[in-house]
């Protein structure tokens, strides 16, 4: 397995373009199942997760062509299979969302249940209940979901018991071809869901209420192809903003939309970081000689503070003056980065869904191990400010969500390099 080595202390200066959003791209790729015409996606990130989903779509007979640096054309002219095996689905939980569009287009699908997850159970029962409400008959057989819609999917009112991004996206992907009107209440409002809904409308769907917690979908008989630009990745944008604040200096994040991370930048400003919007992004500045101030954060559904930025912000707070409290309300078991940050000298105590961070004056480089995607980035961020060398192992997590990580950081002056694992040398 690869590792990443960072020599801390370098200030960051320069421009860093933000890639397309992984969490939007993979659902847009799934939308290609719904039409027999080509779907062209631009501003596509080249990541392990998009490659995994591409492999799964090819197993259905879908043509997936990567053109140039950031364009992907998907053409599901004919589906030759509606079976999604465990070996492919286990590589990425979000690939389970092919179930709804396969069912909507063909009336039947057999998809493996996703594997375990290190940040909580994240059950798929809300997904299955939504599909059942639309008329699907579902049976569980030896770890697989077998879904059929013998009379086609029918519009329905679906009241989610709590906000679920995955279930909202899944219901949306199925309902656009259902007969009649579907209303999703307590729907998630994340920008990636809006991106998916707007793309589906460009394909001929009829979705109203985009950006609100109530979506109304009037089913159509068929969708057409279109060309769509993937929304900027707000988690990458927020991560690099925190990285710039941690290291000190001035970084311009281009091809981005700062309003998507307003909850984060509000807290950063409170901590003493300067954040200035520009015509195509945002500039993050911090004088490294002035110590950060400790501020509290509580993760919430969008537009609140994103759980996917919690670990990165905790890394920032390790060097702040005073004590900050981080409340995690979205996922259980999402403080596994805390012990690894402690190996660098951070003082963090965790009690259930709350972490207390007592700022220290310095961090010192050490070997650390990544436990999940966002935790990996928090260790990279901490390493940028730690004295000496930090080596982050198991960075395959990072390759799932951050495109050209080392190159983007190095272009702004970071001393960072990848150490190839033995598997890559043979």
């Amino acid at each position: 397995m690869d590792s990443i080595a960072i020599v801390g202390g370098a200030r960051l200066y320069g421009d860093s373009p933000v890639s397309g959003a992984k969490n939007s791209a993979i659902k847009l790729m799934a939308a290609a199942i719904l039409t027999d015409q080509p779907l062209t996606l631009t501003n596509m990130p080249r990541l392990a997760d998009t490659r995994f989903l591409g492999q799964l779509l090819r197993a259905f007979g879908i043509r997936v062509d990567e053109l140039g640096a950031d364009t992907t054309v998907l053409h599901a002219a004919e589906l030759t299979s509606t079976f999604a095996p465990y070996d492919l689905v286990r590589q990425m939980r979000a690939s389970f969302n092919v179930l709804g569009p396969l069912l909507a287009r063909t009336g039947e699908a057999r998809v493996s249940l996703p594997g375990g997850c290190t940040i909580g159970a994240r059950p798929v029962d809300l997904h299955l209940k939504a599909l059942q409400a639309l008329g699907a008959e579902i049976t569980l057989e030896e770890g697989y979901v077998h879904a059929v819609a013998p009379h086609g999917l029918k519009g329905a009112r679906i009241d989610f018991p709590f906000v679920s991004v995955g279930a909202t996206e899944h219901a949306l992907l199925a309902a656009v071809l259902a007969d009649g009107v579907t209303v999703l209440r307590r729907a998630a409002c994340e920008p990636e869901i809006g991106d998916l809904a707007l793309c589906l409308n460009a394909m001929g769907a009829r979705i109203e209420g985009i950006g609100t917690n109530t979506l109304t979908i009037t089913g159509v008989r068929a969708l057409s192809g279109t060309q769509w630009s993937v929304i900027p990745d707000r988690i990458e944008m927020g991560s690099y903003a925190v990285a710039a604040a941690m290291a000190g200096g001035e970084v311009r994040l281009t091809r981005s939309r700062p309003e998507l991370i307003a909850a984060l930048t509000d807290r950063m400003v409170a901590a003493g970081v300067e954040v200035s919007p520009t015509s195509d992004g945002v500039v993050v500045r911090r004088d490294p000689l002035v110590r950060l101030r400790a501020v509290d954060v509580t993760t919430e559904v969008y537009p609140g503070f994103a759980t996917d930025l919690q670990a990165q912000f905790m890394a920032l707070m390790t060097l702040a003056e005073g004590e900050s409290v981080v409340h995690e309300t979205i996922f259980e078991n999402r403080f596994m980065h805390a012990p690894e940050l402690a190996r660098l000298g951070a003082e963090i105590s965790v009690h259930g869904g709350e972490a207390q961070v007592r700022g220290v004056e310095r961090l010192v480089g050490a070997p650390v191990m990544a436990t999940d995607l966002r935790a990996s980035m928090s260790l990279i961020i901490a390493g940028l400010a730690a004295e000496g060398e930090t080596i982050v192992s198991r960075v395959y997590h990072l390759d799932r969500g951050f495109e050209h990580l080392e190159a983007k950081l190095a272009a702004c002056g970071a001393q960072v390099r990848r150490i190839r694992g033995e598997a890559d040398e043979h």
Side-chain angles (χ1 to χ4, degrees):
M1 295 182 186
D2 290 2
S3 300
I4 289 179
I6 310 107
V7 177
R11 308 309 177 200
L12 301 187
Y13 293 92
D15 292 358
S16 184
V18 175
S19 301
K22 179 201 78 161
N23 288 341
S24 184
I26 53 182
K27 306 304 167 53
L28 292 168
M29 292 175 71
I33 297 170
L34 295 165
T35 178
D36 61 4
Q37 297 180 26
L39 174 61
T40 300
L41 300 176
T42 62
N43 198 36
M44 275 287 291
R46 303 295 191 214
L47 299 166
D49 276 9
T50 54
R51 288 195 298 272
F52 290 150
L53 188 55
Q55 291 175 11
L56 180 57
L57 296 181
R58 289 187 182 99
F60 302 147
I62 298 173
R63 182 168 177 173
V64 182
D65 295 320
E66 293 187 354
L67 307 178
D70 68 350
T71 299
T72 298
V73 180
L74 305 105
H75 192 187
E78 180 182 0
L79 296 178
T80 58
S81 171
T82 59
F83 173 60
Y86 172 71
D87 283 347
L88 291 178
V89 175
R90 71 179 176 84
Q91 298 182 72
M92 182 182 60
R93 291 185 60 86
S95 58
F96 183 71
N97 283 43
V98 301
L99 176 63
L102 286 173
L103 187 64
R105 180 164 169 187
T106 70
E108 182 176 10
R110 188 164 178 257
V111 176
S112 170
L113 288 166
C117 182
T118 61
I119 52 171
R122 299 214 280 190
V124 297
D125 60 323
L126 291 186
H127 299 232
L128 301 182
K129 288 176 181 177
L131 295 177
Q132 288 174 319
L134 294 170
E137 297 177 4
I138 291 175
T139 55
L140 301 180
E141 306 166 346
E142 299 178 342
Y144 283 83
V145 176
H146 184 216
V148 295
H151 306 293
L153 295 179
K154 307 292 183 182
R157 171 171 166 157
I158 300 172
D159 292 287
F160 293 114
F162 55 86
V163 175
S164 167
V165 173
T168 299
E169 292 166 331
H170 209 161
L172 195 59
L173 284 164
V176 288
L177 292 183
D179 180 24
V181 177
T182 298
V183 178
L184 306 181
R185 297 182 62 84
R186 202 176 283 119
C189 302
E190 271 67 9
E192 296 79 15
I193 292 174
D195 200 32
L196 173 63
L198 290 169
C199 177
L200 289 168
N201 277 355
M203 296 168 68
R206 296 174 60 189
I207 304 167
E208 299 175 276
I210 297 172
T212 74
N213 59 13
T214 300
L215 294 172
T216 303
I217 306 105
T218 302
V220 296
R221 290 186 176 275
L223 297 180
S224 62
T226 193
Q227 178 171 316
W228 193 257
S229 178
V230 180
I231 194 174
D233 193 317
R234 62 193 171 99
I235 306 305
E236 178 184 316
M237 180 175 25
S239 298
Y240 286 129
V242 173
M246 188 72 168
E250 178 174 323
V251 174
R252 180 188 302 270
L253 301 172
T254 61
R255 298 195 333 192
S256 62
R257 291 170 47 187
E259 72 273 14
L260 300 180
I261 58 168
L264 168 69
T265 54
D266 285 350
R267 297 283 78 199
M268 289 175 62
V269 170
V273 181
E274 185 179 344
V275 181
S276 306
T278 66
S279 58
D280 71 337
V282 64
V283 175
V284 179
R285 302 182 187 89
R286 187 176 81 83
D287 181 350
L289 299 179
V290 179
R291 196 170 178 191
L292 293 159
R293 297 185 292 272
V295 295
D296 300 340
V297 295
T298 299
T299 62
E300 299 173 316
V301 298
Y302 189 84
F305 193 99
T307 181
D308 281 349
L309 291 170
Q310 175 257 105
Q312 298 89 312
F313 193 80
M314 183 184 290
L316 184 66
M317 289 296 96
T318 62
L319 289 179
E321 184 174 11
E323 181 176 286
S324 57
V325 178
V326 178
H327 297 272
E328 175 57 61
T329 69
I330 306 299
F331 291 128
E332 72 274 23
N333 197 28
R334 208 174 198 186
F335 286 137
M336 289 189 294
H337 46 282
E340 298 303 304
L341 289 171
R343 288 178 54 79
L344 302 177
E347 295 187 9
I348 305 169
S349 57
V350 175
H351 306 281
E354 179 179 295
Q356 293 178 315
V357 185
R358 289 170 293 279
V360 296
E361 292 191 3
R362 69 186 188 118
L363 299 176
V364 179
V368 291
M369 184 176 67
T371 54
D372 61 61
L373 174 56
R374 309 312 174 186
S376 305
M377 193 62 191
S378 75
L379 298 175
I380 296 288
I381 289 168
L384 291 171
E387 297 176 6
E389 185 175 63
T390 298
I391 298 178
V392 183
S393 62
R394 296 182 66 185
V395 295
Y396 63 87
H397 294 290
L398 281 169
D399 296 332
R400 291 184 49 225
F402 290 90
E403 185 178 26
H404 308 311
L405 173 76
E406 308 99 278
K408 287 186 177 182
L409 288 174
C412 293
Q415 297 185 47
V416 56
R417 61 188 174 91
R418 180 174 290 249
I419 303 171
R420 294 291 178 183
E422 291 184 4
D424 293 308
E425 298 172 359
H426 302 287

